[in-house]
Amino acid sequence: MFEHLSGSGEAGNDVLDRVWRLNRLLDDLGLYTTEMYQRGRESIIQKQQQELLDLSTPVVKLYEQILALPLIGTLDSERTQVVMENLLDGIIAHEARIAIIDITGVPAVDTLVAQHLMKTIAAARLMGAECILSGIRPQIAQTIVHLGVDLGDIMTKATLADALVMALQRTGHVVVRKQG
């Protein structure tokens, strides 16, 4: 194109003007292509983040009317909202009476996380399910006490196994060790 423009016999200023406009057009096309590529990548990243968020908060049916929500990793406002939504959906879908929220995999609990857990438990109660908070390690217990968070009427257990035994008892099931 440059050879065509330079060999067209036109005056130098006309050629420069056409070259300038062609250069601007090519720059605009390059910029548009880059922006579209970047938008596509951002869209893929957002979808993957949402999928990871959904996968990181599974609701698992343990037994009749008993669900577990094992939490792993850091809890922030966005994730705790997904936790609440998934738990409430699970309560409805499985007609659960007991929901065990297991925080064994949560590295730290601060005031905000504790408040979100309390709200999730309150919402589950409104849906007709009792919650058991399990996986409270000594460090987390100390933190909760130091923060002054009142877990007064919330059932708590140190392990998921203990919480499951309690849930089975609360739903009228008896766990008996088989002899032999």
Side-chain angles (χ1 to χ4, degrees):
M1 288 205 285
F2 291 117
E3 287 177 14
H4 174 71
L5 288 173
S6 63
S8 66
E10 296 181 31
N13 285 340
D14 289 339
V15 170
L16 281 175
D17 183 50
R18 287 185 180 196
V19 168
W20 178 252
R21 284 189 281 152
L22 180 61
N23 192 28
R24 292 290 306 226
L25 176 65
L26 292 174
D27 285 348
D28 289 345
L29 287 173
L31 181 61
Y32 177 77
T33 302
T34 303
E35 286 176 354
M36 290 298 108
Y37 176 78
Q38 185 176 357
R39 284 184 192 166
R41 298 299 301 163
E42 287 174 0
S43 175
I44 289 169
I45 290 170
Q46 286 177 347
K47 286 178 187 174
Q48 289 173 339
Q49 285 176 333
Q50 185 60 44
E51 288 172 1
L52 280 174
L53 197 57
D54 290 340
L55 288 174
S56 69
T57 55
V59 176
V60 181
K61 181 178 179 179
L62 297 179
Y63 201 71
E64 298 168 2
Q65 300 179 329
I66 301 173
L67 299 179
L69 179 65
L71 299 177
I72 298 171
T74 305
L75 295 175
D76 58 13
S77 295
E78 182 181 355
R79 184 159 179 231
T80 53
Q81 183 63 35
V82 172
V83 165
M84 183 185 294
E85 290 171 6
N86 287 355
L87 180 61
L88 298 179
D89 289 344
I91 288 170
I92 291 169
H94 299 289
E95 299 176 356
R97 287 184 40 213
I98 305 286
I100 301 170
I101 300 174
D102 184 65
I103 61 171
T104 303
V106 177
V109 173
D110 59 12
T111 307
L112 189 60
V113 170
Q115 287 175 350
H116 283 299
L117 288 173
M118 303 290 276
K119 288 178 183 177
T120 300
I121 291 168
R125 283 182 180 155
L126 289 173
M127 300 301 297
E130 295 179 72
C131 284
I132 302 172
L133 187 61
S134 70
I136 300 176
R137 298 184 313 281
Q139 306 90 324
I140 290 181
Q142 288 177 352
T143 302
I144 289 173
V145 169
H146 288 301
L147 292 173
V149 177
D150 181 22
L151 297 178
D153 59 343
I154 297 173
M155 294 179 282
T156 60
K157 288 294 180 183
T159 67
L160 179 58
D162 293 338
L164 178 58
V165 170
M166 176 184 263
L168 288 168
Q169 289 171 348
R170 295 193 64 86
T171 56
H173 295 88
V174 178
V175 178
V176 178
R177 184 178 304 265
K178 186 176 179 181
Q179 296 294 333

